[in-house]
Amino acid sequence: MSLKRGAGEGQSVQQLVNNFENRLNSVKKELPNISNPSKRMTIKKHFKDMNNYQLQIAPLIANAPQDLQDKYERLSGDYEDIKNDTERQIEMLEKQEAQQKQQASQSSNAGGALSQSLIQDESVAMENFNRDTQNIVEDMKAIDEATSILQTKIEEQHEVVVRVDNTIDDSHEQMVQGNQSLNKAQEHQKASNRCLWYILAGVIVFIIVIVIIVLATVLPKKNKSK
Protein backbone atom coordinates (compact mmCIF):
# COMPACT_ATOMS: atom_id res chain seq x y z
CA MET A 1 0.00 0.00 0.00
CA SER A 2 1.52 3.34 -1.10
CA LEU A 3 1.30 6.51 0.98
CA LYS A 4 0.22 9.84 -0.56
CA ARG A 5 3.26 12.04 -1.08
CA GLY A 6 3.43 15.81 -0.54
CA ALA A 7 4.12 18.31 -3.30
CA GLY A 8 7.53 17.69 -4.91
CA GLU A 9 8.42 14.48 -3.06
CA GLY A 10 10.82 12.26 -5.04
CA GLN A 11 12.02 15.14 -7.24
CA SER A 12 15.54 16.47 -7.63
CA VAL A 13 16.61 19.69 -5.96
CA GLN A 14 16.65 21.37 -9.39
CA GLN A 15 13.05 20.36 -10.03
CA LEU A 16 12.03 21.44 -6.54
CA VAL A 17 13.61 24.88 -7.00
CA ASN A 18 11.95 25.25 -10.41
CA ASN A 19 8.57 24.30 -8.93
CA PHE A 20 9.16 26.74 -6.10
CA GLU A 21 9.90 29.48 -8.65
CA ASN A 22 6.79 28.64 -10.69
CA ARG A 23 4.57 28.83 -7.62
CA LEU A 24 6.14 32.17 -6.65
CA ASN A 25 5.43 33.55 -10.12
CA SER A 26 1.84 32.30 -9.85
CA VAL A 27 1.48 34.12 -6.53
CA LYS A 28 2.78 37.33 -8.12
CA LYS A 29 0.17 36.99 -10.88
CA GLU A 30 -2.64 36.49 -8.36
CA LEU A 31 -1.68 39.40 -6.08
CA PRO A 32 -3.54 42.12 -8.09
CA ASN A 33 -6.76 40.15 -7.49
CA ILE A 34 -6.17 39.57 -3.80
CA SER A 35 -9.46 41.28 -2.90
CA ASN A 36 -11.25 38.36 -4.56
CA PRO A 37 -11.91 35.65 -1.92
CA SER A 38 -11.36 32.80 -4.40
CA LYS A 39 -8.02 34.30 -5.47
CA ARG A 40 -6.99 34.56 -1.83
CA MET A 41 -7.73 30.87 -1.39
CA THR A 42 -5.51 30.11 -4.40
CA ILE A 43 -2.69 32.24 -2.97
CA LYS A 44 -2.95 30.45 0.39
CA LYS A 45 -2.71 27.09 -1.40
CA HIS A 46 0.41 28.27 -3.24
CA PHE A 47 1.96 29.35 0.07
CA LYS A 48 1.23 25.93 1.57
CA ASP A 49 2.85 24.13 -1.39
CA MET A 50 5.87 26.47 -1.30
CA ASN A 51 6.33 25.75 2.41
CA ASN A 52 6.40 22.05 1.56
CA TYR A 53 8.96 22.72 -1.18
CA GLN A 54 11.13 24.59 1.31
CA LEU A 55 11.04 21.65 3.71
CA GLN A 56 12.20 19.34 0.92
CA ILE A 57 14.81 21.72 -0.48
CA ALA A 58 16.40 22.57 2.88
CA PRO A 59 18.37 19.27 3.37
CA LEU A 60 19.39 19.13 -0.32
CA ILE A 61 20.38 22.68 -1.23
CA ALA A 62 23.78 22.54 0.51
CA ASN A 63 25.00 19.93 -1.99
CA ALA A 64 23.51 21.74 -5.02
CA PRO A 65 25.57 23.82 -7.47
CA GLN A 66 26.40 27.35 -6.35
CA ASP A 67 24.30 29.05 -9.01
CA LEU A 68 21.28 26.99 -7.91
CA GLN A 69 21.96 27.89 -4.28
CA ASP A 70 22.13 31.60 -5.21
CA LYS A 71 18.92 31.32 -7.21
CA TYR A 72 17.09 29.59 -4.37
CA GLU A 73 18.37 32.13 -1.85
CA ARG A 74 17.05 34.96 -4.03
CA LEU A 75 13.70 33.21 -4.53
CA SER A 76 13.42 32.48 -0.81
CA GLY A 77 14.04 36.14 0.03
CA ASP A 78 11.38 37.26 -2.44
CA TYR A 79 9.01 34.63 -1.10
CA GLU A 80 9.43 35.73 2.52
CA ASP A 81 8.84 39.40 1.61
CA ILE A 82 5.82 38.61 -0.54
CA LYS A 83 4.44 36.14 1.99
CA ASN A 84 4.67 38.58 4.90
CA ASP A 85 3.08 41.46 2.97
CA THR A 86 0.42 39.22 1.45
CA GLU A 87 -0.54 37.63 4.76
CA ARG A 88 -0.94 41.09 6.30
CA GLN A 89 -3.12 42.16 3.36
CA ILE A 90 -5.20 39.00 3.60
CA GLU A 91 -5.66 39.51 7.33
CA MET A 92 -6.77 43.13 6.79
CA LEU A 93 -9.13 42.17 3.96
CA GLU A 94 -10.70 39.37 5.98
CA LYS A 95 -11.18 41.73 8.93
CA GLN A 96 -12.78 44.30 6.64
CA GLU A 97 -15.06 41.66 5.15
CA ALA A 98 -16.04 40.49 8.63
CA GLN A 99 -16.79 44.09 9.64
CA GLN A 100 -18.77 44.63 6.45
CA LYS A 101 -20.78 41.48 7.09
CA GLN A 102 -21.44 42.64 10.65
CA GLN A 103 -22.44 46.10 9.45
CA ALA A 104 -24.62 44.54 6.76
CA SER A 105 -26.30 42.41 9.41
CA GLN A 106 -26.81 45.44 11.64
CA SER A 107 -28.03 47.45 8.66
CA SER A 108 -30.41 44.65 7.81
CA ASN A 109 -31.77 44.67 11.35
CA ALA A 110 -31.91 48.46 11.33
CA GLY A 111 -33.47 48.29 7.90
CA GLY A 112 -36.10 45.93 9.24
CA ALA A 113 -36.83 48.30 12.10
CA LEU A 114 -36.82 51.21 9.67
CA SER A 115 -39.14 49.32 7.34
CA GLN A 116 -41.48 48.63 10.25
CA SER A 117 -41.33 52.30 11.21
CA LEU A 118 -42.00 53.31 7.61
CA ILE A 119 -44.93 50.90 7.46
CA GLN A 120 -46.35 52.40 10.64
CA ASP A 121 -45.81 55.92 9.29
CA GLU A 122 -47.48 54.96 6.03
CA SER A 123 -50.36 53.40 7.97
CA VAL A 124 -50.81 56.60 9.99
CA ALA A 125 -50.55 58.68 6.82
CA MET A 126 -53.14 56.44 5.15
CA GLU A 127 -55.49 56.81 8.10
CA ASN A 128 -55.07 60.59 7.99
CA PHE A 129 -55.66 60.53 4.25
CA ASN A 130 -58.82 58.45 4.66
CA ARG A 131 -60.04 60.77 7.40
CA ASP A 132 -59.33 63.84 5.28
CA THR A 133 -61.05 62.18 2.33
CA GLN A 134 -64.11 61.43 4.48
CA ASN A 135 -64.17 65.05 5.65
CA ILE A 136 -63.96 66.24 2.06
CA VAL A 137 -66.82 63.92 1.08
CA GLU A 138 -68.95 65.25 3.94
CA ASP A 139 -68.10 68.82 2.94
CA MET A 140 -69.05 68.03 -0.65
CA LYS A 141 -72.37 66.61 0.56
CA ALA A 142 -73.00 69.77 2.59
CA ILE A 143 -72.11 71.92 -0.42
CA ASP A 144 -74.43 69.82 -2.61
CA GLU A 145 -77.28 70.25 -0.11
CA ALA A 146 -76.63 73.99 0.09
CA THR A 147 -76.57 74.14 -3.71
CA SER A 148 -79.89 72.30 -3.90
CA ILE A 149 -81.45 74.68 -1.37
CA LEU A 150 -80.03 77.66 -3.23
CA GLN A 151 -81.37 76.27 -6.51
CA THR A 152 -84.81 75.89 -4.96
CA LYS A 153 -84.68 79.45 -3.63
CA ILE A 154 -83.55 80.70 -7.02
CA GLU A 155 -86.45 78.92 -8.71
CA GLU A 156 -88.86 80.40 -6.17
CA GLN A 157 -87.37 83.85 -6.65
CA HIS A 158 -87.54 83.31 -10.40
CA GLU A 159 -91.26 82.68 -10.12
CA VAL A 160 -91.61 85.84 -8.05
CA VAL A 161 -89.54 87.78 -10.56
CA VAL A 162 -91.66 86.39 -13.39
CA ARG A 163 -94.83 87.44 -11.58
CA VAL A 164 -93.38 90.89 -10.91
CA ASP A 165 -92.29 91.12 -14.53
CA ASN A 166 -95.76 90.11 -15.67
CA THR A 167 -97.25 92.67 -13.29
CA ILE A 168 -94.91 95.32 -14.68
CA ASP A 169 -95.90 94.35 -18.21
CA ASP A 170 -99.58 94.53 -17.28
CA SER A 171 -99.05 97.86 -15.56
CA HIS A 172 -97.19 99.13 -18.59
CA GLU A 173 -100.00 98.04 -20.86
CA GLN A 174 -102.54 99.62 -18.53
CA MET A 175 -100.47 102.79 -18.43
CA VAL A 176 -100.28 102.83 -22.21
CA GLN A 177 -104.02 102.28 -22.41
CA GLY A 178 -104.52 105.01 -19.77
CA ASN A 179 -102.36 107.38 -21.79
CA GLN A 180 -104.38 106.55 -24.86
CA SER A 181 -107.62 107.12 -22.93
CA LEU A 182 -106.20 110.36 -21.55
CA ASN A 183 -105.28 111.50 -25.04
CA LYS A 184 -108.77 110.66 -26.23
CA ALA A 185 -110.23 112.49 -23.24
CA GLN A 186 -108.07 115.48 -24.03
CA GLU A 187 -109.25 115.37 -27.63
CA HIS A 188 -112.85 115.08 -26.45
CA GLN A 189 -112.27 117.93 -24.03
CA LYS A 190 -110.88 120.08 -26.80
CA ALA A 191 -113.86 119.21 -28.96
CA SER A 192 -116.19 119.97 -26.05
CA ASN A 193 -114.45 123.27 -25.47
CA ARG A 194 -114.90 124.16 -29.11
CA CYS A 195 -118.58 123.22 -28.92
CA LEU A 196 -118.93 125.27 -25.76
CA TRP A 197 -117.38 128.25 -27.46
CA TYR A 198 -119.63 127.74 -30.42
CA ILE A 199 -122.68 127.57 -28.15
CA LEU A 200 -121.51 130.59 -26.19
CA ALA A 201 -120.94 132.50 -29.40
CA GLY A 202 -124.38 131.46 -30.65
CA VAL A 203 -125.98 132.61 -27.39
CA ILE A 204 -124.17 135.92 -27.58
CA VAL A 205 -125.24 136.36 -31.18
CA PHE A 206 -128.77 135.41 -30.22
CA ILE A 207 -128.77 137.95 -27.39
CA ILE A 208 -127.40 140.61 -29.66
CA VAL A 209 -130.08 139.86 -32.21
CA ILE A 210 -132.77 140.04 -29.52
CA VAL A 211 -131.37 143.33 -28.25
CA ILE A 212 -131.32 144.73 -31.75
CA ILE A 213 -134.86 143.58 -32.35
CA VAL A 214 -136.02 145.08 -29.07
CA LEU A 215 -134.27 148.33 -29.74
CA ALA A 216 -135.64 148.41 -33.21
CA THR A 217 -139.13 147.92 -31.87
CA VAL A 218 -138.97 150.24 -28.86
CA LEU A 219 -137.18 153.25 -30.37
CA PRO A 220 -139.70 153.95 -33.14
CA LYS A 221 -142.57 153.92 -30.64
CA LYS A 222 -140.82 156.48 -28.45
CA ASN A 223 -140.24 158.73 -31.39
CA LYS A 224 -143.92 158.64 -32.35
CA SER A 225 -145.07 159.47 -28.86
CA LYS A 226 -143.00 162.60 -28.83
Side-chain angles (χ1 to χ4, degrees), residues 2 18 42 54 85 97 108 120 136 138 142 189 204-205 214-215:
S2 61
N18 290 337
T42 301
Q54 282 183 323
D85 292 340
E97 289 178 353
S108 177
Q120 292 177 353
I136 292 172
E138 292 178 357
Q189 184 178 6
I204 292 172
V205 171
V214 171
L215 291 175

Side-chain angles (χ1 to χ4, degrees), residues 81-98:
D81 293 338
I82 292 173
K83 179 182 178 183
N84 292 332
D85 292 340
T86 303
E87 286 179 345
R88 284 196 298 270
Q89 292 183 27
I90 291 174
E91 183 179 1
M92 291 176 59
L93 288 171
E94 289 178 347
K95 286 182 178 179
Q96 290 177 358
E97 289 178 353

Side-chain angles (χ1 to χ4, degrees), residues 173-187:
E173 291 178 359
Q174 291 176 1
M175 185 178 67
V176 171
Q177 292 176 358
N179 289 332
Q180 292 176 353
S181 299
L182 181 60
N183 291 332
K184 290 180 180 180
Q186 288 177 351
E187 291 177 357

Side-chain angles (χ1 to χ4, degrees), residues 16-149:
L16 292 172
V17 172
N18 290 337
N19 291 337
F20 185 84
E21 183 180 16
N22 292 334
R23 292 300 175 94
L24 182 61
N25 291 331
S26 297
V27 169
K28 291 179 180 179
K29 291 180 181 179
E30 299 292 347
L31 285 178
N33 301 318
I34 194 171
S35 59
N36 188 326
S38 63
K39 298 297 182 181
R40 289 202 299 270
M41 293 296 295
T42 301
I43 292 173
K44 288 180 179 180
K45 184 177 182 303
H46 288 325
F47 284 165
K48 183 178 179 181
D49 291 340
M50 292 174 74
N51 289 334
N52 290 331
Y53 286 137
Q54 282 183 323
L55 292 176
Q56 296 177 51
I57 292 172
L60 303 175
I61 194 64
N63 298 323
Q66 187 62 42
D67 58 343
L68 186 60
Q69 293 182 22
D70 294 339
K71 178 181 179 180
Y72 177 69
E73 184 178 359
R74 177 177 55 80
L75 293 174
S76 296
D78 291 344
Y79 169 64
E80 292 299 329
D81 293 338
I82 292 173
K83 179 182 178 183
N84 292 332
D85 292 340
T86 303
E87 286 179 345
R88 284 196 298 270
Q89 292 183 27
I90 291 174
E91 183 179 1
M92 291 176 59
L93 288 171
E94 289 178 347
K95 286 182 178 179
Q96 290 177 358
E97 289 178 353
Q99 291 176 355
Q100 290 175 355
K101 289 181 180 179
Q102 184 177 3
Q103 291 176 356
S105 177
Q106 293 175 353
S107 298
S108 177
N109 295 333
L114 180 60
S115 299
Q116 184 66 25
S117 177
L118 290 174
I119 291 172
Q120 292 177 353
D121 292 341
E122 289 179 356
S123 177
V124 173
M126 184 61 68
E127 291 178 358
N128 293 333
F129 176 77
N130 292 334
R131 184 168 56 254
D132 293 339
T133 302
Q134 185 64 30
N135 292 334
I136 292 172
V137 170
E138 292 178 357
D139 292 340
M140 292 297 293
K141 289 181 179 179
I143 292 172
D144 184 65
E145 292 177 358
T147 303
S148 299
I149 295 172

Side-chain angles (χ1 to χ4, degrees), residues 159-173:
E159 293 177 358
V160 173
V161 171
V162 169
R163 288 198 297 270
V164 171
D165 185 65
N166 292 334
T167 302
I168 292 173
D169 291 338
D170 294 340
S171 299
H172 178 70
E173 291 178 359

